[in-house]
Amino acid sequence: MNQNQFNFEINAKIPGALGRAGVIHTPHGDIQTPAFVVVGTYSKVRFLPPYQFNNIGAQAMISNGFHLSKISKDIEQYGGLSKYSEYNCPTITDSGGFQIMSFGSGLGKVISMDKRNIAREQFKAENKNRLARVTDEGVYFKTNETAAEKLFTPEYSMEFQHKVGADIIMAFDELTNIGDSREYNEKALNRTYEWGSSVFT
């Protein structure tokens, strides 16, 4: 691992527009933007051996936070996600929020694709009947109807992402769906803000 401090350096801008290119400096190497980032859901990309990583122009890997949370101690003991993956590259993790909250679809978070009525409340399952229940505290979820309910919090999301040593980590945010009203989306946005504030203050 090199001793780069994390920062973003802008090298070029499009005059009169927002477009820009630059370099993200991370402890595990630089990422030239725009970048080709491979998806290694469980910390490795299927059928992509380490010796071919650079050959395809990949600069970084993004992994699934929820799945990595189950093996975060192993990754930490191995020396971090970059080393564990054997790609020795900059790494990115998501918060795990999408995977946790998508369990809610199992009992009808959205049960109709009728575009005329999709936002009507009767077309969504009651919160208590979902496999994922969003609260201000975090998300209560279970992987199937008979499983014990677990609580997934913003603090836990940050904890395991830090534990695996990812260079770029994502804040835990609420996943909304096409059936949610503008009012609910605004509420979810504020909840996400509060989750982030609770972790970073």
Side-chain angles (χ1 to χ4, degrees):
M1 180 172 78
N2 63 42
Q3 298 303 312
N4 278 356
Q5 295 296 314
F6 188 92
N7 65 82
F8 179 55
E9 174 187 1
I10 298 174
N11 292 333
K13 293 184 177 181
I14 298 176
L18 296 177
R20 62 188 187 179
V23 183
I24 302 172
H25 299 287
T26 83
H28 293 97
D30 293 340
I31 305 172
Q32 304 283 336
T33 68
F36 173 45
V37 178
V38 296
V39 178
T41 302
Y42 292 89
S43 77
K44 295 179 188 283
V45 182
R46 290 183 182 181
F47 313 115
L48 182 64
Y51 73 89
Q52 289 185 341
F53 183 86
N54 293 323
N55 293 343
I56 65 171
Q59 297 186 60
M61 176 186 70
I62 184 168
S63 296
N64 184 296
F66 174 67
H67 296 307
L68 294 189
S69 69
K70 303 171 187 176
I71 56 172
S72 60
K73 289 184 180 179
D74 294 335
I75 296 174
E76 181 182 31
Q77 290 174 356
Y78 200 86
L81 186 55
S82 181
K83 187 176 179 181
Y84 186 84
S85 70
E86 298 184 332
Y87 297 133
N88 296 308
C89 67
T91 57
I92 306 166
T93 49
D94 67 21
S95 69
F98 178 85
Q99 284 70 33
I100 294 300
M101 283 174 251
S102 64
F103 287 127
S105 300
L107 286 181
K109 189 163 187 182
V110 174
I111 60 174
S112 169
M113 289 307 292
D114 183 344
K115 290 185 284 188
R116 295 166 300 172
N117 297 310
I118 194 66
R120 291 169 58 185
E121 287 302 313
Q122 64 263 39
F123 285 89
K124 296 190 295 177
E126 293 292 331
N127 200 30
K128 64 182 180 181
N129 294 327
R130 298 179 186 176
L131 297 180
R133 297 188 300 110
V134 180
T135 70
D136 290 341
E137 186 182 5
V139 180
Y140 289 88
F141 77 99
K142 48 187 179 179
T143 53
N144 57 63
E145 294 181 49
T146 59
E149 199 172 52
K150 300 177 182 177
L151 174 62
F152 195 99
T153 66
E155 292 81 7
Y156 177 64
S157 175
M158 293 296 104
E159 178 186 332
F160 71 70
Q161 289 185 80
H162 178 73
K163 190 172 287 184
V164 300
D167 294 294
I168 300 174
I169 65 178
M170 303 293 173
F172 190 58
D173 60 331
E174 180 177 351
L175 167 69
T176 59
N177 66 65
I178 194 173
D180 289 323
S181 65
R182 177 186 176 116
E183 181 182 9
Y184 187 84
N185 274 279
E186 290 176 352
K187 182 178 179 180
L189 178 62
N190 289 331
R191 180 182 287 121
T192 296
Y193 175 80
E194 293 300 327
W195 283 346
S197 298
S198 71
V199 172
F200 296 111
T201 55

